[in-house]
């Protein structure tokens, strides 16, 4: 699978749920999708490319894309932590675009750093 195929497949699933890909396709969306595929090859699951993954699916479960933090991030900020998934309003420039803070608990980050 390549990033364009992944884009098409995920778009069909996510847009009806109200999650849109960042409209900066060349600068954000396609590179992030390519890195999701790299992580799938590396770890066996599509861990968020913006976070440190441990490689252990159970430890990484919360950051397997779309991560468990996406819904709250998009609801509050209009975009997920990576900026891969955004709201329609975010893409249209109708809302501010603040930096989305990390919601992942520090103990999960530390577990990834220490390899589980």
């Amino acid at each position: 699978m390549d990033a364009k195929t992944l884009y098409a497949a995920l778009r069909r699933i996510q847009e009806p749920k109200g999650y849109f890909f960042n409209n900066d396709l060349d600068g954000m969306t396609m590179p992030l999708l390519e890195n999701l595929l790299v992580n799938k090859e590396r770890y066996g699951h599509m861990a968020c490319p913006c976070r440190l993954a441990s490689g252990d699916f159970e430890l990484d479960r919360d950051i397997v894309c779309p991560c468990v933090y996406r819904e709250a991030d998009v609801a509050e900020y209009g975009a997920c932590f990576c900026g891969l998934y955004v709201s329609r309003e975010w893409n249209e420039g109708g809302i501010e675009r603040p930096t989305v803070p990390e919601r992942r608990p520090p103990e999960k980050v530390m577990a990834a750093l220490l390899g589980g």
Side-chain angles (χ1 to χ4, degrees), residues 61-87:
R61 181 183 295 272
D62 64 319
I63 61 167
V64 171
C65 190
C67 73
V68 301
Y69 312 106
R70 176 188 70 170
E71 184 176 347
D73 285 351
V74 173
E76 186 171 348
Y77 300 101
C80 70
F81 180 71
C82 288
L84 177 63
Y85 287 106
V86 301
S87 66

Side-chain angles (χ1 to χ4, degrees), residues 42-45 47 52-60 112:
R42 181 181 293 151
Y43 303 123
H45 53 274
L52 182 61
S54 70
D56 178 316
F57 180 79
E58 289 305 316
L59 290 174
D60 294 342

Side-chain angles (χ1 to χ4, degrees), residues 34-61:
E34 289 165 5
N35 284 301
L36 282 172
L37 293 171
V38 167
N39 283 348
K40 182 163 178 50
E41 181 70 27
R42 181 181 293 151
Y43 303 123
H45 53 274
M46 289 195 300
C48 174
C50 301
R51 295 180 165 108
L52 182 61
S54 70
D56 178 316
F57 180 79
E58 289 305 316
L59 290 174
D60 294 342
R61 181 183 295 272

